[in-house]
Amino acid sequence: MRSRYSAFATENIDYLETTLAMEKRKSFDREATANWARSSEWKGLRILAVRDGKETDKQGIVEFVADFCEKGQFYQHRETSRFERREEKWYYVEGARGALPVHSDKTGRNDPCPCGSGKKFKKCCGAGENKRT
């Protein structure tokens, strides 16, 4: 799971595709995935729960939250993913997910960034917003 998060953060779309279960690759939207990875500023990954997934297991379940900013808005992508071990490699099979804004009010430029970085919003997730003249 951590390696797939890192692939999003580094825009390694080839890795995301090759770690996807073979039967899911037909529906993999490479362009949309690349656009999401490129347009997002990835802030961190938190693993909430893990079931199975050890070296001797055939499958594993991972629940996680990935924090990211997109177009000046902070989001948390929460997903419960299922992986399967096939021929000594782990593959992403499916997941139940959703990405929701963390707050609904517009964050002020000089407010602390809601992503928790400790920076002002204008120097962090808000850096890509259009400047007012």
Side-chain angles (χ1 to χ4, degrees), residues 5-120:
Y5 170 82
S6 295
F8 272 104
T10 61
E11 300 175 36
N12 187 347
I13 309 309
D14 290 338
Y15 182 82
L16 292 169
E17 187 171 17
T18 60
T19 58
L20 189 60
M22 190 61 74
E23 66 273 15
K24 300 292 184 178
R25 292 183 192 174
K26 283 184 183 179
S27 62
F28 180 68
D29 189 337
R30 187 177 179 85
E31 185 176 337
T33 303
N35 287 338
W36 186 38
R38 187 177 355 349
S39 68
S40 300
E41 184 178 345
W42 300 92
K43 298 292 188 175
L45 173 70
R46 289 174 284 135
I47 304 296
L48 304 177
V50 177
R51 187 173 64 226
D52 301 325
K54 296 179 180 63
E55 199 167 313
T56 57
D57 293 326
K58 297 281 187 207
Q59 75 169 1
I61 307 290
V62 179
E63 183 182 358
F64 68 92
V65 174
D67 298 326
F68 68 100
C69 290
E70 186 175 36
K71 297 179 183 171
Q73 176 68 53
F74 179 72
Y75 293 88
Q76 290 183 321
H77 175 90
R78 186 178 185 132
E79 181 172 330
T80 301
S81 301
R82 185 168 66 90
F83 294 84
E84 288 184 2
R85 188 176 177 91
R86 301 175 182 175
E87 299 176 10
E88 303 304 313
K89 292 184 181 178
W90 286 100
Y91 293 92
Y92 175 84
V93 177
E94 64 183 344
R97 58 186 175 263
L100 302 172
V102 172
H103 59 91
S104 58
D105 296 345
K106 182 152 175 69
T107 304
R109 291 176 30 83
N110 291 313
D111 292 341
C113 191
C115 76
S117 67
K119 297 178 184 178
K120 288 184 178 182

